[in-house]
Amino acid sequence: MSKLLAKILVHSISQPSHMALISDDLQLDYKSLQSKIDQLSAVLKILECRIVGIFLDNSPTWVLIQLAAMQAGLIVIPIPLFFSDTQREYLISSTDIDVVIAAFDYSESHRSFYRLNVNNELLPETLYAAMRYAVSGKAAITPANTALVTFTSGTTGDPKGVCISTVLIDQMCESLHCMTAALGIENHLSLLPLTVMLENIAGVFLPLFAGETVLIDSALQTGLTGSSGVDVQQLSLYLANHKFNSLILTPELLKLVINLKQQGLPLTSLKYVAVGGGKVSPALLQHAQSIGIPVYEGYGLSECGSVVALNTPSASKVGSVGKPLDHCAVEISPAGEIRVYGPHILGYLHSTLIQKKTVATGDLGYLDEEGFLFVTGRSKNVQINSYGRNFNPEWIESEINRLSGVIRSSIYGDDKPFITAVIQLLPNVNEMQLWTALEQLNQTLPDYAQIRHMVPMSVADIAGAELLTGNGRIKRDEIQQFYLSKIEAGYLAAISSF
């Protein structure tokens, strides 16, 4: 049995009536959670399946199914709701998923599946299960000991499956618990999609490992849809009506929470906010803390199980992503690349097992004398302008992203005389307001880093052209290609003005 499941079993005995999972529609204490895990696990074993696909929105039921499958020794594959139809079908067909559990009857539209009659008394809500008629080549699908396959959204086409073991899940939970145990967290709010590994492990498994309560609701309640859609009014209402001590945010969600806090959202019970998934401006973090949001930056990647380093109230440094977790060691290569030694993923779906002891992250950075890790950019993203000046776009983007009204940005200036920024704005902000802010920002930047041309990025373009990854990170190459004519128009206009 994994350490996570063993902890939940202990909690079911030592604190049976303590709430484990709650939503607006359901409450499960640790005794009830363990009972349902046992019952559903037994049913899954009877089905003699090997891989379970979860095709659901966030809910306590989602977590219950995953834990039951883990107890049964099965592989869990989350199916992201924010994937395109093509990406989802590739995921299901390429993984030989035996059983798909969804909010609709998956078998009605897929002839290779038939409907299963699962006792819905085991599940807190009405769900449908569909089983594949026949599966071929099971043994070659995943590395041995795989418990979870999390799919990234891919860059241009097929998603990429990351294979995680229960050992790595346990190590993540133990290390994160050591860093956060003193914070006095009792209730964690899980906002990000559970198909994102960071939320799955740090947002749900960690609190359950610690015997805490996880508040988790669907997008309908929280106002967060897909990987980047936000109903601001619904999110504000949801946050105001629930008490929680911690949550995990992406940089763009942090900006939104800052905005809501400035508009009067109390957040009085909040003790700790972890932010990750992209570079965050130190000025933005300091501003958030100055208005009462206890936010701390972290760093990680899928190949290392999601989290590598994290700031906490007892060990924090502005500009850094914190100190490495106990189970991993970080070194910097002669070329300045961050390398992580210790536990890592088993491998990728349909690929050979990863035998290396180190993960070359592709990120540039350094460790200071106190052991804090600083990330300065991506090695492959380094750009050189036409004057021969090198710059990392993440640095400039973090400065743009801290501006009021900016959701996200992506900059371009490789082999060009100046920088162009593709920027997504909040709906109530116009381009004139943005340019005023950009002009003020330019005064603080060196000449080669100043923004001279701007291209607006719309919500419709983001959704239609799939310009973001599953956890909201920009797809730099795709954005550049999609807006290429508008980006180039700025340089042509500059040439014609001479």
Side-chain angles (χ1 to χ4, degrees):
M1 178 182 290
S2 75
K3 292 180 181 179
L4 169 63
L5 291 172
K7 283 281 189 178
I8 292 173
L9 177 59
V10 170
H11 299 325
S12 72
I13 298 170
S14 63
Q15 50 179 33
S17 60
H18 189 76
M19 287 300 163
L21 300 168
I22 61 174
S23 70
D24 287 350
D25 303 318
L26 175 70
Q27 294 188 352
L28 282 178
D29 58 30
Y30 274 94
K31 180 179 180 180
S32 299
L33 175 61
Q34 184 62 56
S35 175
K36 288 186 176 296
I37 289 173
D38 292 339
Q39 295 175 62
L40 185 56
S41 174
V43 171
L44 292 173
K45 286 181 179 179
I46 292 173
L47 295 177
E48 297 184 351
C49 58
R50 179 173 177 263
I51 304 177
V52 176
I54 304 177
F55 192 6
L56 298 169
D57 200 348
N58 282 13
S59 68
T61 304
W62 203 110
V63 180
L64 169 61
I65 294 169
Q66 183 176 22
L67 293 173
M70 288 174 62
Q71 181 161 299
L74 308 179
I75 297 171
V76 172
I77 300 185
I79 304 172
L81 297 179
F82 52 79
F83 271 14
S84 66
D85 291 341
T86 301
Q87 287 178 318
R88 282 196 294 264
E89 291 312 308
Y90 168 81
L91 184 159
I92 293 171
S93 63
S94 67
T95 56
D96 281 352
I97 287 175
D98 300 277
V99 175
V100 174
I101 300 177
F104 64 97
D105 190 353
Y106 186 80
S107 67
E108 288 185 350
S109 55
H110 296 80
R111 295 181 179 179
S112 57
F113 285 81
Y114 62 93
R115 182 173 173 179
L116 280 175
N117 291 318
V118 177
N119 183 359
N120 270 323
E121 292 181 1
L122 298 179
L123 299 173
E125 57 187 287
T126 301
L127 298 176
Y128 297 88
M131 191 162 190
R132 198 188 295 265
Y133 279 105
V135 178
S136 60
K138 283 187 176 182
I141 293 176
T142 54
N145 302 317
T146 297
L148 171 67
V149 180
T150 299
F151 275 79
T152 64
S153 56
T155 53
T156 57
D158 296 337
K160 189 176 184 180
V162 177
C163 301
I164 306 292
S165 67
T166 54
V167 172
L168 181 54
I169 292 172
D170 290 339
Q171 289 169 324
M172 288 294 305
C173 289
E174 287 182 314
S175 290
L176 287 170
H177 183 50
C178 285
M179 296 189 79
T180 60
L183 298 179
I185 294 171
E186 297 178 356
N187 301 286
H188 175 82
L189 172 58
S190 179
L191 275 182
L192 303 180
L194 289 182
T195 48
V196 175
M197 192 193 311
L198 174 61
E199 190 65 49
N200 194 203
I201 294 178
V204 173
F205 287 170
L206 170 60
L208 294 179
F209 183 91
E212 299 161 359
T213 302
V214 180
L215 170 61
I216 181 168
D217 275 296
S218 70
L220 183 64
Q221 280 91 2
T222 64
L224 299 179
T225 57
S227 62
S228 58
V230 181
D231 181 333
V232 178
Q233 185 175 359
Q234 180 61 32
L235 176 61
S236 178
L237 183 65
Y238 183 83
L239 295 177
N241 289 336
H242 293 83
K243 290 186 177 181
F244 49 92
N245 305 135
S246 63
L247 72 162
I248 300 170
L249 298 175
T250 57
E252 59 271 17
L253 281 178
L254 172 61
K255 292 198 67 175
L256 183 56
V257 171
I258 290 173
N259 193 17
L260 294 176
K261 182 74 164 63
Q262 290 174 321
Q263 294 177 22
L265 184 67
L267 299 177
T268 53
S269 61
L270 195 55
K271 296 180 179 180
Y272 185 79
V273 178
V275 61
K279 181 63 178 174
V280 186
S281 166
L284 182 67
L285 293 171
Q286 289 175 319
H287 174 58
Q289 291 176 347
S290 72
I291 62 172
I293 300 176
V295 60
Y296 297 87
E297 188 175 7
Y299 164 77
L301 61 161
S302 298
E303 286 77 3
C304 298
S306 75
V307 183
V308 170
L310 187 64
N311 280 294
T312 64
S314 61
S316 178
K317 183 170 287 190
V318 175
S320 82
V321 293
K323 290 187 174 182
L325 271 60
D326 290 344
H327 72 274
C328 58
V330 172
E331 294 184 3
I332 308 299
S333 75
E337 182 184 28
I338 299 170
R339 293 181 177 175
V340 182
Y341 294 80
H344 50 68
I345 65 171
L346 296 171
Y348 299 103
L349 203 64
H350 304 305
S351 299
T352 57
L353 188 70
I354 294 179
Q355 302 288 355
K356 297 179 180 179
K357 295 182 180 180
T358 177
V359 174
T361 66
D363 293 315
L364 301 174
Y366 64 92
L367 287 163
D368 71 5
E369 66 282 354
E370 295 180 85
F372 284 91
L373 177 63
F374 290 75
V375 181
T376 58
R378 290 284 294 172
S379 58
K380 70 175 183 179
N381 288 338
V382 172
Q383 299 183 27
I384 307 174
N385 68 16
S386 56
Y387 295 100
R389 295 302 304 266
N390 293 15
F391 59 90
N392 283 73
E394 289 91 346
W395 157 53
I396 303 171
E397 287 160 358
S398 72
E399 293 299 314
I400 298 173
N401 294 345
R402 72 178 176 84
L403 299 178
S404 177
V406 174
I407 298 176
R408 58 175 57 84
S409 64
S410 184
I411 69 158
Y412 304 91
D414 196 38
D415 200 29
K416 300 295 184 182
F418 57 82
I419 286 174
T420 294
V422 180
I423 301 176
Q424 182 189 4
L425 295 172
L426 289 171
N428 61 342
V429 179
N430 59 49
E431 292 183 26
M432 185 175 296
Q433 292 173 308
L434 173 63
W435 268 117
T436 299
L438 286 175
E439 288 172 358
Q440 293 174 347
L441 174 62
N442 281 339
Q443 295 176 14
T444 69
L445 297 172
D447 57 0
Y448 64 88
Q450 294 177 5
I451 298 91
R452 301 300 182 192
H453 179 52
M454 191 276 292
V455 175
M457 177 166 45
S458 71
V459 174
D461 290 344
I462 289 173
E466 299 178 7
L467 302 180
L468 303 179
T469 66
N471 61 357
R473 295 185 184 184
I474 59 171
K475 295 183 181 179
R476 193 177 304 281
D477 293 342
E478 284 77 358
I479 292 172
Q480 181 178 24
Q481 190 60 38
F482 186 82
Y483 291 109
L484 187 59
S485 61
K486 293 181 179 180
I487 293 173
E488 292 297 329
Y491 298 112
L492 292 173
I495 292 173
S496 64
S497 65
F498 287 103

